[in-house]
Amino acid sequence: MKPYLREKIPTSFEDIPETTSYEAGFLVTKNAGWRNVRPVIDPAKCVGCLNCYLYCPDGVISRKDGKVQIDYDFCKGCGICKKICKLKAIELEAEK
Ligand code: SF4
Ligand code: SF4
């Protein structure tokens, strides 16, 4: 099943906030303890398009030091970011 695609909104890397939802004060407790897979970004494939940021339902993807990063304290491992990444720069790895 293809993910639902929103109307294209022009964005640039600089439009993306450098804070996650947690850092912005929307979440109060770490809540990723039940995640069984974690998304891992391959920096060699990632071009910083930030589609993953736009579609992450938990707001845990942000840009830090010029790179796309995931806040694993709050990521639920839903895999939407992997699904939406056209460059296949995100893999889901089993939690150990
Ligand atoms: S969607 Fe893929 S290529 Fe785009 S920023 Fe996210 S990981 Fe990088
Ligand atoms: S797995 Fe889900 S919650 Fe975690 S970063 Fe990707 S889209 Fe966000």
Side-chain angles (χ1 to χ4, degrees):
M1 189 173 90
K2 284 189 172 181
Y4 169 75
L5 294 177
R6 286 188 221 165
E7 186 179 342
K8 181 74 177 163
I9 305 169
T11 52
S12 71
F13 196 68
E14 286 67 34
D15 292 329
I16 304 302
E18 290 185 302
T19 55
T20 62
S21 296
Y22 174 70
E23 291 163 335
F26 296 130
L27 302 167
V28 289
T29 54
K30 295 180 181 180
N31 54 9
W34 45 267
R35 183 184 61 226
N36 57 13
V37 290
R38 66 165 51 201
V40 177
I41 298 174
D42 181 346
K45 292 182 182 173
C46 175
V47 295
C49 70
L50 290 166
N51 271 339
C52 53
Y53 158 79
L54 292 172
Y55 285 89
C56 172
D58 285 304
V60 301
I61 298 177
S62 63
R63 64 182 171 98
K64 286 212 169 42
D65 303 324
K67 292 182 180 172
V68 182
Q69 294 195 354
I70 296 170
D71 184 343
Y72 290 114
D73 285 342
F74 297 97
C75 165
K76 309 294 193 311
C78 67
I80 290 174
C81 53
K82 171 183 164 65
K83 189 93 174 172
I84 209 71
C85 179
K86 293 179 180 170
L87 297 180
K88 302 190 185 310
I90 300 179
E91 290 297 331
L92 296 178
E93 297 183 358
E95 288 287 355
K96 294 172 185 161

